[in-house]
Amino acid sequence: MPTPFESAQLNLQLFDLRREAVLREARHWFLIEFNPESFAEFVTIISGRRNTAFRMVLGYWEMAASLVTTGAIDPDAFRAAHGEIFGTFSKIHPYLAELRTMSGEADICKHMEAVVLAAPDAEAMLARRREGLRAVTQARATDTVQSAG
């Protein structure tokens, strides 16, 4: 088990990686604009021009979560420092089983899933995050329409 200092160091390094410009833009798109309403829409979106952003965001969070599942970072310290993983996972959670079946990759996002679902009341938290992020998207759309009008 890592020491609190070692967990803190790795958490800070992960945070620093998130500041990279391309990853930052991809994370913004994923959290705000990526809101599929069905698996078919999910597949259409991730098969299009945003495929790279989709893979980048999931790749980053899967790598970060793997540091928890392999014991390099304390799980509670990680979840306390990286709440964004809950919002990210909330976007794919409804479609994860179908994605695994369609792709033939049973382990897609297994580290993210393990870290997120180990949180207390994880399912309810994911539902709240998913709805909260949709509300942000709708509010932004309303503001844009009102500003244009």
Side-chain angles (χ1 to χ4, degrees):
M1 184 53 86
T3 67
F5 179 78
E6 291 166 334
S7 284
Q9 287 289 106
L10 286 172
N11 277 325
L12 289 170
Q13 289 172 333
L14 287 171
F15 183 79
D16 197 40
L17 288 173
R18 287 171 41 189
R19 295 171 46 197
E20 191 278 325
V22 176
L23 179 57
R24 177 177 242 140
E25 191 280 328
R27 289 176 29 245
H28 178 267
W29 166 79
F30 197 100
L31 288 172
I32 303 302
E33 297 176 35
F34 179 63
N35 293 298
E37 297 289 334
S38 67
F39 184 67
E41 184 180 2
F42 179 94
V43 170
T44 298
I45 294 168
I46 68 170
S47 298
R49 68 179 183 82
R50 286 306 205 155
N51 178 268
T52 301
F54 177 82
R55 288 182 296 111
M56 181 181 288
V57 171
L58 291 189
Y60 170 81
W61 284 117
E62 183 67 358
M63 177 270 308
S66 76
L67 294 174
V68 176
T69 61
T70 60
I73 299 178
D74 175 75
D76 292 331
F78 179 87
R79 284 187 289 269
H82 302 288
E84 184 179 317
I85 195 172
F86 292 98
T88 301
F89 191 72
S90 77
K91 300 288 189 115
I92 65 165
H93 186 240
Y95 312 110
L96 193 53
E98 290 173 288
L99 179 61
R100 287 172 173 163
T101 299
M102 179 193 80
S103 68
E105 298 290 337
D107 290 339
I108 289 177
C109 299
K110 75 174 186 175
H111 298 285
M112 284 178 68
E113 180 179 41
V115 169
V116 169
L117 295 183
D121 205 22
E123 294 285 344
M125 183 188 321
L126 290 172
R128 285 192 308 271
R129 295 284 170 100
R130 195 168 28 257
E131 292 311 310
L133 289 166
R134 279 194 177 126
V136 168
T137 301
Q138 290 170 347
R140 285 176 158 230
T142 301
D143 287 347
T144 302
V145 169
Q146 289 176 353
S147 295

